[in-house]
Amino acid sequence: VTLPSQHGMPHFDDIRLETPDKVLIRGYLIKRATDEETRRASTVIYFHANAGNMGHRLPVAKLLYDILGCNVFMLSYRGYGLSDGHPSEAGIKTDALTALEFIRSHPLTANTKLVAYGQSLGGAVAIDIVAANEPEFAGIILENTFLSIGKLIPSVLPILKWVTFLASEKWDSEKVVRQINSVPVLFLSGLQDDLVPPPHMRKLYELLSRNQDGKRMKVTWEEFATGKHNDTFAQPGYFEAIARWWKDTVDAAEPYVPTGRLGALEPRDSVEKSDGENIYRVESASADKSHAGSERESLSASPEMALLGKKSN
């Protein structure tokens, strides 16, 4: 797993987080040059796709970091990169909540505006964590994500269309996204997506558009005519679209007001710099209570695991 410093981001902490179910996951907190700049900047929490780990997404993080002037928190889900454990839907949702609680407990990011950014599988993770914790977020960015695993299988593996009910992982974003009622959303759709049919993104957009109130809740659609599943971020105008949306929504949003909803780090673990060895113990709410529609089955045993690309260690 490469380091942020190898991509021109020298100010970072290499984080180890212990989840409520005692799995050690790895993350990077990529900060601005000074503590004061970090406190003033907004923060992106980056949820990566199934293929790869957080290290593979550092070039994208670098562009977000430079263009938006933000902090970036990245994590490798359990079973990915250097994180322990085995991937599952319920486990990844727990990892996301643990990361959120870390951000809201860290002295440099506790009061920053927070935006969830998710690609493919990461989009489903972002939808779930935002739906369950709307007051914590100033926005959500979704790229080439899907309605659900069940609806994705027939498109990618037609031979399985008659046994879709056997899928043990659901990631039912079509259902969960309806619970987002106040957070602005940016959709980034590659119209030549060769893995997730573009109508999945369009349907999610249409569902969320019904919740627009013309004030804080605003849903924005950006499409890229030649964008495929894994190269939409490289299409002309991609980061410019994010920057426009960011200026109009995140920069314009009211300052974050602490909600007190999330757990806090123990005082002895509340440090501003990590040597890469510290374990941050997070007092976390039950995943059953904090997530929308958690499922307990193992992702590693599911045939649809291959749909979104093989994970890398």
Side-chain angles (χ1 to χ4, degrees):
V1 178
T2 56
L3 299 172
S5 55
Q6 295 172 265
H7 294 268
M9 296 177 287
H11 308 288
F12 74 97
D13 294 341
D14 186 354
I15 306 295
R16 300 186 181 189
L17 294 171
E18 186 178 60
T19 66
D21 55 345
K22 308 302 182 184
V23 176
L24 204 63
I25 59 173
R26 299 293 291 269
Y28 293 141
L29 175 57
I30 305 171
K31 303 174 290 188
R32 310 311 301 177
T34 68
D35 287 355
E36 183 58 31
E37 288 178 84
T38 301
R39 290 189 182 96
R40 290 201 308 264
S42 299
T43 301
V44 168
I45 180 169
Y46 194 125
F47 297 112
H48 65 75
N50 185 65
N53 56 59
M54 64 183 179
H56 294 108
R57 303 314 192 281
L58 282 168
V60 177
K62 168 65 171 172
L63 288 166
L64 295 173
Y65 180 85
D66 287 346
I67 293 170
L68 304 177
C70 61
N71 312 307
V72 181
F73 183 87
M74 311 180 77
L75 75 154
S76 285
Y77 316 128
R78 62 186 64 201
Y80 290 75
L82 299 177
S83 294
D84 294 344
H86 301 283
S88 70
E89 181 173 351
I92 291 173
K93 290 176 179 179
T94 298
D95 297 343
L97 179 60
T98 301
L100 174 60
E101 293 198 336
F102 170 79
I103 291 168
R104 285 298 179 222
S105 299
H106 195 288
L108 295 183
T109 58
N111 296 318
T112 63
K113 297 176 188 177
L114 184 60
V115 175
Y117 175 97
Q119 297 172 308
S120 192
L121 172 63
V125 180
I127 288 170
D128 185 80
I129 194 70
V130 171
N133 300 277
E134 279 197 275
E136 304 299 329
F137 289 91
I140 176 173
I141 302 172
L142 301 172
E143 181 199 308
N144 294 341
T145 193
F146 48 82
L147 290 168
S148 68
I149 291 292
K151 289 193 173 180
L152 181 62
I153 288 175
S155 300
V156 182
L157 294 177
I159 194 172
L160 293 181
K161 66 181 179 179
W162 305 116
V163 293
T164 299
F165 68 94
L166 293 179
S168 63
E169 302 300 322
K170 295 182 173 57
W171 287 110
D172 193 356
S173 294
E174 183 177 10
K175 176 182 178 181
V176 177
V177 79
R178 302 166 197 255
Q179 300 172 28
I180 298 176
N181 295 298
S182 62
V183 177
V185 185
L186 172 62
F187 285 87
L188 303 167
S189 179
L191 299 186
Q192 301 303 315
D193 193 323
D194 46 348
L195 189 57
V196 176
H200 282 238
M201 281 279 283
R202 176 58 71 169
K203 177 65 173 179
L204 291 171
Y205 168 75
E206 291 171 355
L207 289 170
L208 267 179
S209 294
R210 300 172 187 172
N211 292 343
Q212 290 189 103
D213 59 11
K215 297 177 182 178
R216 185 186 178 198
M217 177 59 175
K218 181 180 179 182
V219 183
T220 304
W221 177 268
E222 297 282 354
E223 60 185 42
F224 304 90
T226 60
K228 296 183 179 180
H229 189 71
N230 292 317
D231 71 1
T232 296
F233 72 91
Q235 300 304 304
Y238 180 90
F239 289 98
E240 290 82 356
I242 294 177
R244 287 194 303 271
W245 175 84
W246 188 277
K247 180 180 179 181
D248 292 342
T249 56
V250 182
D251 288 346
E254 295 295 322
Y256 170 72
V257 177
T259 64
R261 298 175 64 255
L262 301 173
L265 296 175
E266 298 173 9
R268 61 185 174 82
D269 287 328
S270 185
V271 298
E272 296 194 8
K273 294 184 180 296
S274 167
D275 59 9
E277 297 298 327
N278 290 319
I279 297 176
Y280 294 83
R281 298 183 183 276
V282 180
E283 294 297 327
S284 175
S286 166
D288 288 335
K289 295 179 181 179
S290 302
H291 290 303
S294 292
E295 299 295 332
R296 298 295 181 184
E297 297 86 359
S298 171
L299 187 61
S300 59
S302 303
E304 68 276 18
M305 184 65 180
L307 295 180
L308 302 178
K310 185 178 181 182
K311 69 183 180 65
S312 299
N313 293 316

